[in-house]
Amino acid sequence: GHPPFGFPEPLRSAVLAKQPPLENGKACFEGRPGAEMAPMDFDKVKADLVERYGEKNIGECEVMSYAQYPKVFEDFMAFKNEFDDVSALDTRTFLRGLLPGETIEVKLAKGKTLYIQLESVGELDEDGYRTVNFEMNGQKRSVRVADKNSEAGATAKQKANPSVLGSVGAPMPGVVVEVRAAPGDEVAKGDPLVVLSAMKMETVVSATCDGVLRSLIVAEGDNLKAGDLIAEIDE
């Protein structure tokens, strides 16, 4: 905010000396900073967010969060897409994780509680993954998890970001048999980028939006897993 009678001179002029003018041409804010900003079309913002994240994930709260902190909101949605809603976890488990033999109680809803016990964490495999064995409500389960702290895990192929419209990922495992675009190309939604072959069937991976192809991560002969990043498009 502003002091009651403004900032004293010459302090104000010295601080603003190297600052570019505001979008409206003024040298500095006069009164409430928000009053100097261009109007925001909240309906358009909501429509754009719905297109990127789906209607069920976007309400008025999400629109206001994006309007105030767009990068923080995008990072949060990317985290949520990868790990789902972790708000049901207690703080210690979220920050530290479970130790072998430790059990936690996770309340998802009234009358719906999960009891999870970590049994063991397997050895690192050649792909940089570990098998995590655990019990959930008395049933044994296992899941492969990438160890991002290992050298193999750190060099694993980059994954597409589903929350970014221009991030194109492999829809299934396969081998790249043909590349039909190059960085710098202007593409339209639906234009073919690469062709994947899996189990003697070929699948065309297409552009997810209109824009310019910033990067093409793959080449012919590359083996891909589902979700591996193929290309990035600047809208």
Side-chain angles (χ1 to χ4, degrees):
H2 285 254
F5 300 101
F7 291 99
E9 293 288 1
L11 173 64
R12 186 189 69 84
S13 297
V15 171
L16 297 176
K18 297 182 179 181
Q19 297 296 319
L22 303 176
E23 293 182 0
N24 58 14
K26 294 183 179 180
C28 63
F29 294 117
E30 297 176 1
R32 186 173 63 84
E36 306 288 349
M37 297 174 65
M40 175 172 281
D41 187 342
F42 289 104
D43 291 336
K44 184 179 184 305
V45 170
K46 184 174 183 178
D48 291 342
L49 293 177
V50 167
E51 182 178 2
R52 292 172 62 180
Y53 303 111
E55 188 171 2
K56 68 177 183 179
N57 296 315
I58 301 299
E60 297 304 320
C61 180
E62 285 73 25
V63 172
M64 294 306 298
S65 296
Y66 178 83
Q68 297 176 82
Y69 308 103
K71 184 63 171 61
V72 174
F73 178 81
E74 289 172 349
D75 290 345
F76 169 76
M77 293 301 288
F79 177 90
K80 186 177 179 181
N81 181 77
E82 182 175 1
F83 300 106
D84 213 323
D85 182 7
V86 299
S87 62
L89 293 176
D90 63 274
T91 302
R92 184 182 296 277
T93 301
F94 175 78
L95 295 176
R96 187 204 64 185
L98 290 175
L99 299 176
E102 190 173 6
T103 302
I104 59 171
E105 178 182 294
V106 181
K107 295 182 178 179
L108 300 180
K110 186 175 181 180
K112 188 174 183 180
T113 303
L114 303 179
Y115 296 93
I116 303 171
Q117 181 183 58
L118 176 63
E119 293 187 336
S120 64
V121 178
E123 296 294 326
L124 188 71
D125 64 22
E126 60 182 9
D127 295 325
Y129 283 76
R130 296 181 187 272
T131 299
V132 178
N133 301 299
F134 62 99
E135 281 190 7
M136 186 170 71
N137 290 356
Q139 296 185 352
K140 294 185 179 297
R141 298 171 180 256
S142 63
V143 62
R144 291 180 75 236
V145 180
D147 187 342
K148 297 181 181 179
N149 294 321
S150 71
E151 184 176 345
T155 57
K157 285 187 173 65
Q158 184 179 355
K159 295 294 184 180
N161 185 350
S163 65
V164 177
L165 194 59
S167 183
V168 184
M172 61 183 182
V175 179
V176 179
V177 295
E178 185 180 355
V179 175
R180 296 188 180 180
D185 288 354
E186 290 190 7
V187 296
K189 183 177 180 180
D191 284 353
L193 301 178
V194 301
V195 179
L196 296 181
S197 176
M199 300 181 68
K200 300 182 180 180
M201 296 181 61
E202 292 188 350
T203 299
V204 177
V205 180
S206 304
T208 51
C209 62
D210 299 343
V212 176
L213 191 60
R214 187 205 320 162
S215 61
L216 189 67
I217 312 298
V218 301
E220 289 186 13
D222 284 357
N223 281 288
L224 302 180
K225 296 180 180 179
D228 283 351
L229 181 65
I230 291 177
E232 294 174 301
I233 302 171
D234 289 330
E235 298 180 64

